[in-house]
Amino acid sequence: MTRSEIANAQGVADGTVKSQLAAIYDKTGAEDQRSLQQLVRELSPPVRRT
């Protein structure tokens, strides 16, 4: 989702989403959304299909 889409879905300003994303990137060491997605994939356990 884009920042604008996230802001609309959460009922907050675009600037709020921007600040929150900046904090997440800073804390995780991610540089952008793609690197954050990759980090989440690496840290998530595989899904078991039964």
Side-chain angles (χ1 to χ4, degrees), residues 3 6-7 12-13 20 23 26-28 30 32 38 42 46 49:
R3 268 199 341 242
I6 295 168
V12 298
Q20 292 171 337
D26 185 52
K27 290 179 181 184
T28 62
D32 55 22
Q38 181 62 35
E42 290 171 5
R49 300 197 190 263

Side-chain angles (χ1 to χ4, degrees), residues 40-47:
V40 170
R41 274 195 227 73
E42 290 171 5
L43 296 176
S44 299
V47 175

Side-chain angles (χ1 to χ4, degrees), residues 8-29:
N8 286 333
Q10 297 298 317
V12 298
D14 185 72
T16 301
V17 176
K18 184 177 180 179
S19 296
Q20 292 171 337
L21 286 172
I24 292 168
Y25 294 154
D26 185 52
K27 290 179 181 184
T28 62

